[in-house]
PDB file of all heavy atoms in Angstrom:
ATOM      1  N   LEU A   1     111.487 117.424  87.841  1.00  0.00           N
ATOM      2  CA  LEU A   1     111.534 118.419  86.773  1.00  0.00           C
ATOM      3  C   LEU A   1     112.791 119.275  86.852  1.00  0.00           C
ATOM      4  O   LEU A   1     113.335 119.690  85.819  1.00  0.00           O
ATOM      5  CB  LEU A   1     110.293 119.312  86.833  1.00  0.00           C
ATOM      6  CG  LEU A   1     108.934 118.664  86.544  1.00  0.00           C
ATOM      7  CD1 LEU A   1     107.810 119.672  86.706  1.00  0.00           C
ATOM      8  CD2 LEU A   1     108.901 118.059  85.144  1.00  0.00           C
ATOM      9  N   ASN A   2     113.256 119.544  88.077  1.00  0.00           N
ATOM     10  CA  ASN A   2     114.432 120.394  88.270  1.00  0.00           C
ATOM     11  C   ASN A   2     115.748 119.681  87.984  1.00  0.00           C
ATOM     12  O   ASN A   2     116.757 120.330  87.701  1.00  0.00           O
ATOM     13  CB  ASN A   2     114.460 120.943  89.704  1.00  0.00           C
ATOM     14  CG  ASN A   2     113.354 121.944  89.960  1.00  0.00           C
ATOM     15  OD1 ASN A   2     112.854 122.581  89.025  1.00  0.00           O
ATOM     16  ND2 ASN A   2     112.950 122.093  91.217  1.00  0.00           N
ATOM     17  N   ASN A   3     115.727 118.342  88.074  1.00  0.00           N
ATOM     18  CA  ASN A   3     116.985 117.599  87.978  1.00  0.00           C
ATOM     19  C   ASN A   3     117.145 116.784  86.697  1.00  0.00           C
ATOM     20  O   ASN A   3     118.253 116.299  86.428  1.00  0.00           O
ATOM     21  CB  ASN A   3     117.124 116.657  89.180  1.00  0.00           C
ATOM     22  CG  ASN A   3     117.385 117.412  90.472  1.00  0.00           C
ATOM     23  OD1 ASN A   3     118.491 117.886  90.706  1.00  0.00           O
ATOM     24  ND2 ASN A   3     116.357 117.542  91.305  1.00  0.00           N
ATOM     25  N   TYR A   4     116.073 116.639  85.947  1.00  0.00           N
ATOM     26  CA  TYR A   4     116.155 115.822  84.738  1.00  0.00           C
ATOM     27  C   TYR A   4     115.519 116.549  83.559  1.00  0.00           C
ATOM     28  O   TYR A   4     114.602 117.352  83.737  1.00  0.00           O
ATOM     29  CB  TYR A   4     115.464 114.465  84.954  1.00  0.00           C
ATOM     30  CG  TYR A   4     116.081 113.664  86.066  1.00  0.00           C
ATOM     31  CD1 TYR A   4     115.512 113.667  87.338  1.00  0.00           C
ATOM     32  CD2 TYR A   4     117.245 112.921  85.860  1.00  0.00           C
ATOM     33  CE1 TYR A   4     116.081 112.942  88.374  1.00  0.00           C
ATOM     34  CE2 TYR A   4     117.822 112.195  86.894  1.00  0.00           C
ATOM     35  CZ  TYR A   4     117.233 112.209  88.144  1.00  0.00           C
ATOM     36  OH  TYR A   4     117.815 111.508  89.166  1.00  0.00           O
ATOM     37  N   THR A   5     116.000 116.239  82.357  1.00  0.00           N
ATOM     38  CA  THR A   5     115.435 116.843  81.152  1.00  0.00           C
ATOM     39  C   THR A   5     114.126 116.153  80.798  1.00  0.00           C
ATOM     40  O   THR A   5     113.834 115.053  81.276  1.00  0.00           O
ATOM     41  CB  THR A   5     116.404 116.705  79.967  1.00  0.00           C
ATOM     42  OG1 THR A   5     116.549 115.309  79.641  1.00  0.00           O
ATOM     43  CG2 THR A   5     117.765 117.291  80.307  1.00  0.00           C
ATOM     44  N   LYS A   6     113.366 116.795  79.931  1.00  0.00           N
ATOM     45  CA  LYS A   6     112.107 116.186  79.490  1.00  0.00           C
ATOM     46  C   LYS A   6     112.365 114.852  78.783  1.00  0.00           C
ATOM     47  O   LYS A   6     111.587 113.902  78.936  1.00  0.00           O
ATOM     48  CB  LYS A   6     111.352 117.132  78.550  1.00  0.00           C
ATOM     49  CG  LYS A   6     110.674 118.294  79.248  1.00  0.00           C
ATOM     50  CD  LYS A   6     109.853 119.095  78.259  1.00  0.00           C
ATOM     51  CE  LYS A   6     109.082 120.218  78.953  1.00  0.00           C
ATOM     52  NZ  LYS A   6     108.260 120.983  77.987  1.00  0.00           N
ATOM     53  N   PHE A   7     113.440 114.783  78.019  1.00  0.00           N
ATOM     54  CA  PHE A   7     113.763 113.531  77.329  1.00  0.00           C
ATOM     55  C   PHE A   7     114.046 112.420  78.336  1.00  0.00           C
ATOM     56  O   PHE A   7     113.582 111.293  78.168  1.00  0.00           O
ATOM     57  CB  PHE A   7     114.972 113.715  76.412  1.00  0.00           C
ATOM     58  CG  PHE A   7     115.376 112.447  75.707  1.00  0.00           C
ATOM     59  CD1 PHE A   7     114.726 112.040  74.552  1.00  0.00           C
ATOM     60  CD2 PHE A   7     116.397 111.638  76.217  1.00  0.00           C
ATOM     61  CE1 PHE A   7     115.075 110.849  73.910  1.00  0.00           C
ATOM     62  CE2 PHE A   7     116.752 110.456  75.586  1.00  0.00           C
ATOM     63  CZ  PHE A   7     116.093 110.060  74.427  1.00  0.00           C
ATOM     64  N   GLN A   8     114.808 112.728  79.369  1.00  0.00           N
ATOM     65  CA  GLN A   8     115.126 111.727  80.397  1.00  0.00           C
ATOM     66  C   GLN A   8     113.864 111.273  81.131  1.00  0.00           C
ATOM     67  O   GLN A   8     113.686 110.084  81.408  1.00  0.00           O
ATOM     68  CB  GLN A   8     116.139 112.296  81.387  1.00  0.00           C
ATOM     69  CG  GLN A   8     117.529 112.492  80.801  1.00  0.00           C
ATOM     70  CD  GLN A   8     118.457 113.239  81.745  1.00  0.00           C
ATOM     71  OE1 GLN A   8     118.018 114.132  82.487  1.00  0.00           O
ATOM     72  NE2 GLN A   8     119.738 112.899  81.730  1.00  0.00           N
ATOM     73  N   ILE A   9     112.985 112.236  81.436  1.00  0.00           N
ATOM     74  CA  ILE A   9     111.749 111.908  82.150  1.00  0.00           C
ATOM     75  C   ILE A   9     110.846 111.036  81.278  1.00  0.00           C
ATOM     76  O   ILE A   9     110.332 110.000  81.723  1.00  0.00           O
ATOM     77  CB  ILE A   9     111.006 113.191  82.568  1.00  0.00           C
ATOM     78  CG1 ILE A   9     111.820 113.938  83.633  1.00  0.00           C
ATOM     79  CG2 ILE A   9     109.605 112.871  83.087  1.00  0.00           C
ATOM     80  CD1 ILE A   9     111.325 115.349  83.905  1.00  0.00           C
ATOM     81  N   ALA A  10     110.667 111.464  80.014  1.00  0.00           N
ATOM     82  CA  ALA A  10     109.753 110.751  79.120  1.00  0.00           C
ATOM     83  C   ALA A  10     110.275 109.365  78.755  1.00  0.00           C
ATOM     84  O   ALA A  10     109.481 108.420  78.606  1.00  0.00           O
ATOM     85  CB  ALA A  10     109.515 111.566  77.852  1.00  0.00           C
ATOM     86  N   THR A  11     111.594 109.241  78.635  1.00  0.00           N
ATOM     87  CA  THR A  11     112.170 107.966  78.191  1.00  0.00           C
ATOM     88  C   THR A  11     112.493 107.054  79.365  1.00  0.00           C
ATOM     89  O   THR A  11     111.871 106.013  79.566  1.00  0.00           O
ATOM     90  CB  THR A  11     113.429 108.202  77.348  1.00  0.00           C
ATOM     91  OG1 THR A  11     113.111 109.094  76.267  1.00  0.00           O
ATOM     92  CG2 THR A  11     113.953 106.891  76.779  1.00  0.00           C
ATOM     93  N   TRP A  12     113.472 107.471  80.174  1.00  0.00           N
ATOM     94  CA  TRP A  12     113.924 106.593  81.265  1.00  0.00           C
ATOM     95  C   TRP A  12     112.912 106.561  82.408  1.00  0.00           C
ATOM     96  O   TRP A  12     112.761 105.527  83.077  1.00  0.00           O
ATOM     97  CB  TRP A  12     115.308 107.026  81.749  1.00  0.00           C
ATOM     98  CG  TRP A  12     116.286 107.111  80.620  1.00  0.00           C
ATOM     99  CD1 TRP A  12     116.971 108.208  80.191  1.00  0.00           C
ATOM    100  CD2 TRP A  12     116.645 106.044  79.717  1.00  0.00           C
ATOM    101  NE1 TRP A  12     117.736 107.904  79.090  1.00  0.00           N
ATOM    102  CE2 TRP A  12     117.557 106.580  78.780  1.00  0.00           C
ATOM    103  CE3 TRP A  12     116.284 104.705  79.607  1.00  0.00           C
ATOM    104  CZ2 TRP A  12     118.111 105.817  77.759  1.00  0.00           C
ATOM    105  CZ3 TRP A  12     116.826 103.937  78.588  1.00  0.00           C
ATOM    106  CH2 TRP A  12     117.736 104.496  77.687  1.00  0.00           C
ATOM    107  N   GLY A  13     112.212 107.676  82.603  1.00  0.00           N
ATOM    108  CA  GLY A  13     111.152 107.684  83.618  1.00  0.00           C
ATOM    109  C   GLY A  13     110.041 106.708  83.254  1.00  0.00           C
ATOM    110  O   GLY A  13     109.561 105.944  84.099  1.00  0.00           O
ATOM    111  N   SER A  14     109.630 106.717  81.976  1.00  0.00           N
ATOM    112  CA  SER A  14     108.573 105.813  81.521  1.00  0.00           C
ATOM    113  C   SER A  14     109.025 104.358  81.618  1.00  0.00           C
ATOM    114  O   SER A  14     108.238 103.482  81.999  1.00  0.00           O
ATOM    115  CB  SER A  14     108.182 106.140  80.074  1.00  0.00           C
ATOM    116  OG  SER A  14     107.632 107.442  79.994  1.00  0.00           O
ATOM    117  N   LEU A  15     110.287 104.103  81.281  1.00  0.00           N
ATOM    118  CA  LEU A  15     110.814 102.739  81.381  1.00  0.00           C
ATOM    119  C   LEU A  15     110.803 102.262  82.829  1.00  0.00           C
ATOM    120  O   LEU A  15     110.377 101.130  83.119  1.00  0.00           O
ATOM    121  CB  LEU A  15     112.234 102.670  80.823  1.00  0.00           C
ATOM    122  CG  LEU A  15     112.918 101.297  80.918  1.00  0.00           C
ATOM    123  CD1 LEU A  15     112.210 100.276  80.033  1.00  0.00           C
ATOM    124  CD2 LEU A  15     114.404 101.402  80.548  1.00  0.00           C
ATOM    125  N   LEU A  16     111.240 103.121  83.749  1.00  0.00           N
ATOM    126  CA  LEU A  16     111.265 102.753  85.168  1.00  0.00           C
ATOM    127  C   LEU A  16     109.861 102.509  85.706  1.00  0.00           C
ATOM    128  O   LEU A  16     109.635 101.567  86.467  1.00  0.00           O
ATOM    129  CB  LEU A  16     111.962 103.852  85.982  1.00  0.00           C
ATOM    130  CG  LEU A  16     113.486 103.923  85.862  1.00  0.00           C
ATOM    131  CD1 LEU A  16     114.022 105.162  86.562  1.00  0.00           C
ATOM    132  CD2 LEU A  16     114.130 102.667  86.455  1.00  0.00           C
ATOM    133  N   VAL A  17     108.915 103.369  85.322  1.00  0.00           N
ATOM    134  CA  VAL A  17     107.525 103.196  85.766  1.00  0.00           C
ATOM    135  C   VAL A  17     106.998 101.849  85.285  1.00  0.00           C
ATOM    136  O   VAL A  17     106.364 101.107  86.047  1.00  0.00           O
ATOM    137  CB  VAL A  17     106.632 104.346  85.243  1.00  0.00           C
ATOM    138  CG1 VAL A  17     105.149 104.012  85.419  1.00  0.00           C
ATOM    139  CG2 VAL A  17     106.959 105.640  85.977  1.00  0.00           C
ATOM    140  N   HIS A  18     107.263 101.531  84.028  1.00  0.00           N
ATOM    141  CA  HIS A  18     106.771 100.264  83.477  1.00  0.00           C
ATOM    142  C   HIS A  18     107.412  99.062  84.164  1.00  0.00           C
ATOM    143  O   HIS A  18     106.708  98.140  84.602  1.00  0.00           O
ATOM    144  CB  HIS A  18     107.025 100.198  81.973  1.00  0.00           C
ATOM    145  CG  HIS A  18     106.532  98.934  81.341  1.00  0.00           C
ATOM    146  ND1 HIS A  18     107.316  97.802  81.231  1.00  0.00           N
ATOM    147  CD2 HIS A  18     105.324  98.609  80.804  1.00  0.00           C
ATOM    148  CE1 HIS A  18     106.627  96.835  80.659  1.00  0.00           C
ATOM    149  NE2 HIS A  18     105.413  97.301  80.385  1.00  0.00           N
ATOM    150  N   GLU A  19     108.737  99.056  84.269  1.00  0.00           N
ATOM    151  CA  GLU A  19     109.433  97.891  84.825  1.00  0.00           C
ATOM    152  C   GLU A  19     109.108  97.700  86.309  1.00  0.00           C
ATOM    153  O   GLU A  19     108.810  96.584  86.749  1.00  0.00           O
ATOM    154  CB  GLU A  19     110.956  98.038  84.634  1.00  0.00           C
ATOM    155  CG  GLU A  19     111.400  98.006  83.194  1.00  0.00           C
ATOM    156  CD  GLU A  19     110.926  96.759  82.461  1.00  0.00           C
ATOM    157  OE1 GLU A  19     111.265  95.640  82.889  1.00  0.00           O
ATOM    158  OE2 GLU A  19     110.198  96.914  81.463  1.00  0.00           O
ATOM    159  N   PHE A  20     109.156  98.789  87.073  1.00  0.00           N
ATOM    160  CA  PHE A  20     108.868  98.679  88.505  1.00  0.00           C
ATOM    161  C   PHE A  20     107.421  98.237  88.725  1.00  0.00           C
ATOM    162  O   PHE A  20     107.152  97.332  89.529  1.00  0.00           O
ATOM    163  CB  PHE A  20     109.121 100.011  89.209  1.00  0.00           C
ATOM    164  CG  PHE A  20     108.763  99.995  90.675  1.00  0.00           C
ATOM    165  CD1 PHE A  20     109.617  99.428  91.608  1.00  0.00           C
ATOM    166  CD2 PHE A  20     107.555 100.523  91.116  1.00  0.00           C
ATOM    167  CE1 PHE A  20     109.281  99.385  92.959  1.00  0.00           C
ATOM    168  CE2 PHE A  20     107.200 100.479  92.454  1.00  0.00           C
ATOM    169  CZ  PHE A  20     108.078  99.910  93.380  1.00  0.00           C
ATOM    170  N   SER A  21     106.484  98.861  88.005  1.00  0.00           N
ATOM    171  CA  SER A  21     105.070  98.521  88.175  1.00  0.00           C
ATOM    172  C   SER A  21     104.808  97.075  87.789  1.00  0.00           C
ATOM    173  O   SER A  21     104.087  96.354  88.488  1.00  0.00           O
ATOM    174  CB  SER A  21     104.192  99.457  87.326  1.00  0.00           C
ATOM    175  OG  SER A  21     104.370 100.800  87.713  1.00  0.00           O
ATOM    176  N   TYR A  22     105.395  96.643  86.678  1.00  0.00           N
ATOM    177  CA  TYR A  22     105.147  95.293  86.179  1.00  0.00           C
ATOM    178  C   TYR A  22     105.539  94.239  87.214  1.00  0.00           C
ATOM    179  O   TYR A  22     104.724  93.380  87.586  1.00  0.00           O
ATOM    180  CB  TYR A  22     105.921  95.065  84.877  1.00  0.00           C
ATOM    181  CG  TYR A  22     105.519  93.801  84.159  1.00  0.00           C
ATOM    182  CD1 TYR A  22     104.426  93.787  83.290  1.00  0.00           C
ATOM    183  CD2 TYR A  22     106.214  92.608  84.334  1.00  0.00           C
ATOM    184  CE1 TYR A  22     104.034  92.635  82.634  1.00  0.00           C
ATOM    185  CE2 TYR A  22     105.831  91.444  83.678  1.00  0.00           C
ATOM    186  CZ  TYR A  22     104.753  91.467  82.834  1.00  0.00           C
ATOM    187  OH  TYR A  22     104.353  90.313  82.189  1.00  0.00           O
ATOM    188  N   PHE A  23     106.770  94.305  87.684  1.00  0.00           N
ATOM    189  CA  PHE A  23     107.248  93.252  88.579  1.00  0.00           C
ATOM    190  C   PHE A  23     106.731  93.422  90.010  1.00  0.00           C
ATOM    191  O   PHE A  23     106.568  92.432  90.722  1.00  0.00           O
ATOM    192  CB  PHE A  23     108.776  93.187  88.533  1.00  0.00           C
ATOM    193  CG  PHE A  23     109.288  92.668  87.216  1.00  0.00           C
ATOM    194  CD1 PHE A  23     109.869  93.524  86.290  1.00  0.00           C
ATOM    195  CD2 PHE A  23     109.141  91.338  86.885  1.00  0.00           C
ATOM    196  CE1 PHE A  23     110.308  93.049  85.062  1.00  0.00           C
ATOM    197  CE2 PHE A  23     109.568  90.843  85.656  1.00  0.00           C
ATOM    198  CZ  PHE A  23     110.156  91.700  84.743  1.00  0.00           C
ATOM    199  N   PHE A  24     106.415  94.650  90.396  1.00  0.00           N
ATOM    200  CA  PHE A  24     105.819  94.867  91.721  1.00  0.00           C
ATOM    201  C   PHE A  24     104.405  94.285  91.764  1.00  0.00           C
ATOM    202  O   PHE A  24     104.018  93.638  92.752  1.00  0.00           O
ATOM    203  CB  PHE A  24     105.792  96.358  92.057  1.00  0.00           C
ATOM    204  CG  PHE A  24     105.235  96.656  93.420  1.00  0.00           C
ATOM    205  CD1 PHE A  24     106.000  96.450  94.557  1.00  0.00           C
ATOM    206  CD2 PHE A  24     103.942  97.150  93.572  1.00  0.00           C
ATOM    207  CE1 PHE A  24     105.489  96.717  95.828  1.00  0.00           C
ATOM    208  CE2 PHE A  24     103.421  97.421  94.825  1.00  0.00           C
ATOM    209  CZ  PHE A  24     104.203  97.203  95.960  1.00  0.00           C
ATOM    210  N   ILE A  25     103.635  94.503  90.700  1.00  0.00           N
ATOM    211  CA  ILE A  25     102.268  93.972  90.654  1.00  0.00           C
ATOM    212  C   ILE A  25     102.295  92.447  90.508  1.00  0.00           C
ATOM    213  O   ILE A  25     101.399  91.749  91.010  1.00  0.00           O
ATOM    214  CB  ILE A  25     101.469  94.635  89.508  1.00  0.00           C
ATOM    215  CG1 ILE A  25     101.346  96.149  89.746  1.00  0.00           C
ATOM    216  CG2 ILE A  25     100.071  94.033  89.391  1.00  0.00           C
ATOM    217  CD1 ILE A  25     100.862  96.927  88.530  1.00  0.00           C
ATOM    218  N   CYS A  26     103.319  91.919  89.846  1.00  0.00           N
ATOM    219  CA  CYS A  26     103.454  90.459  89.698  1.00  0.00           C
ATOM    220  C   CYS A  26     103.828  89.775  91.011  1.00  0.00           C
ATOM    221  O   CYS A  26     103.561  88.571  91.186  1.00  0.00           O
ATOM    222  CB  CYS A  26     104.542  90.126  88.676  1.00  0.00           C
ATOM    223  SG  CYS A  26     104.059  90.347  86.954  1.00  0.00           S
ATOM    224  N   LEU A  27     104.455  90.515  91.911  1.00  0.00           N
ATOM    225  CA  LEU A  27     105.037  89.913  93.118  1.00  0.00           C
ATOM    226  C   LEU A  27     104.052  89.116  93.974  1.00  0.00           C
ATOM    227  O   LEU A  27     104.367  87.986  94.369  1.00  0.00           O
ATOM    228  CB  LEU A  27     105.724  91.004  93.957  1.00  0.00           C
ATOM    229  CG  LEU A  27     106.524  90.525  95.166  1.00  0.00           C
ATOM    230  CD1 LEU A  27     107.635  89.570  94.736  1.00  0.00           C
ATOM    231  CD2 LEU A  27     107.118  91.714  95.924  1.00  0.00           C
ATOM    232  N   PRO A  28     102.841  89.646  94.293  1.00  0.00           N
ATOM    233  CA  PRO A  28     101.920  88.859  95.127  1.00  0.00           C
ATOM    234  C   PRO A  28     101.600  87.494  94.525  1.00  0.00           C
ATOM    235  O   PRO A  28     101.635  86.472  95.225  1.00  0.00           O
ATOM    236  CB  PRO A  28     100.671  89.739  95.219  1.00  0.00           C
ATOM    237  CG  PRO A  28     101.177  91.124  95.003  1.00  0.00           C
ATOM    238  CD  PRO A  28     102.293  90.986  94.013  1.00  0.00           C
ATOM    239  N   GLY A  29     101.295  87.454  93.221  1.00  0.00           N
ATOM    240  CA  GLY A  29     100.977  86.191  92.571  1.00  0.00           C
ATOM    241  C   GLY A  29     102.142  85.217  92.603  1.00  0.00           C
ATOM    242  O   GLY A  29     101.944  84.000  92.732  1.00  0.00           O
ATOM    243  N   PHE A  30     103.350  85.755  92.481  1.00  0.00           N
ATOM    244  CA  PHE A  30     104.540  84.900  92.548  1.00  0.00           C
ATOM    245  C   PHE A  30     104.687  84.290  93.938  1.00  0.00           C
ATOM    246  O   PHE A  30     104.997  83.103  94.083  1.00  0.00           O
ATOM    247  CB  PHE A  30     105.784  85.719  92.204  1.00  0.00           C
ATOM    248  CG  PHE A  30     107.068  84.930  92.277  1.00  0.00           C
ATOM    249  CD1 PHE A  30     107.429  84.058  91.263  1.00  0.00           C
ATOM    250  CD2 PHE A  30     107.913  85.063  93.369  1.00  0.00           C
ATOM    251  CE1 PHE A  30     108.606  83.317  91.333  1.00  0.00           C
ATOM    252  CE2 PHE A  30     109.089  84.336  93.455  1.00  0.00           C
ATOM    253  CZ  PHE A  30     109.443  83.458  92.430  1.00  0.00           C
ATOM    254  N   VAL A  31     104.407  85.090  94.968  1.00  0.00           N
ATOM    255  CA  VAL A  31     104.535  84.628  96.355  1.00  0.00           C
ATOM    256  C   VAL A  31     103.437  83.621  96.693  1.00  0.00           C
ATOM    257  O   VAL A  31     103.673  82.678  97.465  1.00  0.00           O
ATOM    258  CB  VAL A  31     104.509  85.828  97.325  1.00  0.00           C
ATOM    259  CG1 VAL A  31     104.464  85.359  98.778  1.00  0.00           C
ATOM    260  CG2 VAL A  31     105.720  86.727  97.096  1.00  0.00           C
ATOM    261  N   PHE A  32     102.247  83.795  96.104  1.00  0.00           N
ATOM    262  CA  PHE A  32     101.111  82.909  96.422  1.00  0.00           C
ATOM    263  C   PHE A  32     101.438  81.435  96.209  1.00  0.00           C
ATOM    264  O   PHE A  32     100.928  80.578  96.934  1.00  0.00           O
ATOM    265  CB  PHE A  32      99.889  83.272  95.576  1.00  0.00           C
ATOM    266  CG  PHE A  32      99.225  84.565  95.968  1.00  0.00           C
ATOM    267  CD1 PHE A  32      98.301  85.168  95.113  1.00  0.00           C
ATOM    268  CD2 PHE A  32      99.514  85.182  97.174  1.00  0.00           C
ATOM    269  CE1 PHE A  32      97.688  86.364  95.469  1.00  0.00           C
ATOM    270  CE2 PHE A  32      98.908  86.380  97.534  1.00  0.00           C
ATOM    271  CZ  PHE A  32      97.993  86.964  96.683  1.00  0.00           C
ATOM    272  N   GLN A  33     102.269  81.138  95.212  1.00  0.00           N
ATOM    273  CA  GLN A  33     102.554  79.732  94.897  1.00  0.00           C
ATOM    274  C   GLN A  33     103.287  79.016  96.036  1.00  0.00           C
ATOM    275  O   GLN A  33     103.280  77.775  96.092  1.00  0.00           O
ATOM    276  CB  GLN A  33     103.388  79.639  93.607  1.00  0.00           C
ATOM    277  CG  GLN A  33     104.789  80.212  93.717  1.00  0.00           C
ATOM    278  CD  GLN A  33     105.532  80.185  92.404  1.00  0.00           C
ATOM    279  OE1 GLN A  33     105.587  79.153  91.735  1.00  0.00           O
ATOM    280  NE2 GLN A  33     106.111  81.313  92.023  1.00  0.00           N
ATOM    281  N   PHE A  34     103.886  79.786  96.946  1.00  0.00           N
ATOM    282  CA  PHE A  34     104.623  79.199  98.068  1.00  0.00           C
ATOM    283  C   PHE A  34     103.792  79.184  99.361  1.00  0.00           C
ATOM    284  O   PHE A  34     104.282  78.766 100.404  1.00  0.00           O
ATOM    285  CB  PHE A  34     105.921  79.974  98.314  1.00  0.00           C
ATOM    286  CG  PHE A  34     106.822  80.047  97.111  1.00  0.00           C
ATOM    287  CD1 PHE A  34     107.012  81.252  96.444  1.00  0.00           C
ATOM    288  CD2 PHE A  34     107.460  78.906  96.634  1.00  0.00           C
ATOM    289  CE1 PHE A  34     107.844  81.318  95.332  1.00  0.00           C
ATOM    290  CE2 PHE A  34     108.278  78.963  95.520  1.00  0.00           C
ATOM    291  CZ  PHE A  34     108.467  80.173  94.863  1.00  0.00           C
ATOM    292  N   ILE A  35     102.548  79.669  99.284  1.00  0.00           N
ATOM    293  CA  ILE A  35     101.680  79.737 100.467  1.00  0.00           C
ATOM    294  C   ILE A  35     100.541  78.731 100.302  1.00  0.00           C
ATOM    295  O   ILE A  35      99.633  78.940  99.490  1.00  0.00           O
ATOM    296  CB  ILE A  35     101.101  81.159 100.654  1.00  0.00           C
ATOM    297  CG1 ILE A  35     102.239  82.189 100.738  1.00  0.00           C
ATOM    298  CG2 ILE A  35     100.239  81.222 101.915  1.00  0.00           C
ATOM    299  CD1 ILE A  35     101.766  83.636 100.787  1.00  0.00           C
ATOM    300  N   PRO A  36     100.567  77.626 101.041  1.00  0.00           N
ATOM    301  CA  PRO A  36      99.519  76.589 100.891  1.00  0.00           C
ATOM    302  C   PRO A  36      98.101  77.129 101.042  1.00  0.00           C
ATOM    303  O   PRO A  36      97.189  76.700 100.323  1.00  0.00           O
ATOM    304  CB  PRO A  36      99.866  75.594 102.007  1.00  0.00           C
ATOM    305  CG  PRO A  36     101.337  75.769 102.232  1.00  0.00           C
ATOM    306  CD  PRO A  36     101.605  77.230 102.013  1.00  0.00           C
ATOM    307  N   TYR A  37      97.899  78.092 101.954  1.00  0.00           N
ATOM    308  CA  TYR A  37      96.560  78.638 102.190  1.00  0.00           C
ATOM    309  C   TYR A  37      95.974  79.268 100.924  1.00  0.00           C
ATOM    310  O   TYR A  37      94.758  79.201 100.681  1.00  0.00           O
ATOM    311  CB  TYR A  37      96.617  79.676 103.315  1.00  0.00           C
ATOM    312  CG  TYR A  37      95.292  80.364 103.577  1.00  0.00           C
ATOM    313  CD1 TYR A  37      94.292  79.740 104.320  1.00  0.00           C
ATOM    314  CD2 TYR A  37      95.033  81.630 103.043  1.00  0.00           C
ATOM    315  CE1 TYR A  37      93.072  80.364 104.548  1.00  0.00           C
ATOM    316  CE2 TYR A  37      93.813  82.263 103.260  1.00  0.00           C
ATOM    317  CZ  TYR A  37      92.840  81.624 104.010  1.00  0.00           C
ATOM    318  OH  TYR A  37      91.637  82.247 104.223  1.00  0.00           O
ATOM    319  N   MET A  38      96.826  79.880 100.086  1.00  0.00           N
ATOM    320  CA  MET A  38      96.346  80.597  98.907  1.00  0.00           C
ATOM    321  C   MET A  38      95.953  79.658  97.768  1.00  0.00           C
ATOM    322  O   MET A  38      95.329  80.091  96.797  1.00  0.00           O
ATOM    323  CB  MET A  38      97.422  81.580  98.413  1.00  0.00           C
ATOM    324  CG  MET A  38      97.767  82.672  99.405  1.00  0.00           C
ATOM    325  SD  MET A  38      96.322  83.631  99.941  1.00  0.00           S
ATOM    326  CE  MET A  38      95.806  84.378  98.408  1.00  0.00           C
ATOM    327  N   GLN A  39      96.311  78.396  97.876  1.00  0.00           N
ATOM    328  CA  GLN A  39      96.043  77.475  96.766  1.00  0.00           C
ATOM    329  C   GLN A  39      94.549  77.233  96.550  1.00  0.00           C
ATOM    330  O   GLN A  39      94.137  76.837  95.458  1.00  0.00           O
ATOM    331  CB  GLN A  39      96.772  76.147  97.002  1.00  0.00           C
ATOM    332  CG  GLN A  39      98.291  76.285  97.026  1.00  0.00           C
ATOM    333  CD  GLN A  39      98.822  77.160  95.892  1.00  0.00           C
ATOM    334  OE1 GLN A  39      98.629  76.862  94.716  1.00  0.00           O
ATOM    335  NE2 GLN A  39      99.484  78.259  96.247  1.00  0.00           N
TER     336      GLN A  39
END
């Protein structure tokens, strides 16, 4: 709040939350395909 404007937080903050969350949550499933035990 002290370092960024509300516009920056609402716009770029929301974009970062979405992109980071999306690919971070996807990561385990992506890795599973290379682990024979998980098949």
Side-chain angles (χ1 to χ4, degrees):
L1 294 177
N2 291 335
N3 289 284
Y4 300 98
T5 65
K6 285 185 176 181
F7 178 82
Q8 290 172 325
I9 292 168
T11 306
W12 307 119
S14 296
L15 178 66
L16 285 172
V17 167
H18 181 270
E19 294 305 301
F20 176 79
S21 300
Y22 191 85
F23 290 106
F24 182 77
I25 298 167
C26 283
L27 187 59
F30 179 78
V31 173
F32 288 166
Q33 66 184 310
F34 303 110
I35 304 174
Y37 176 79
M38 297 304 297
Q39 297 315 300

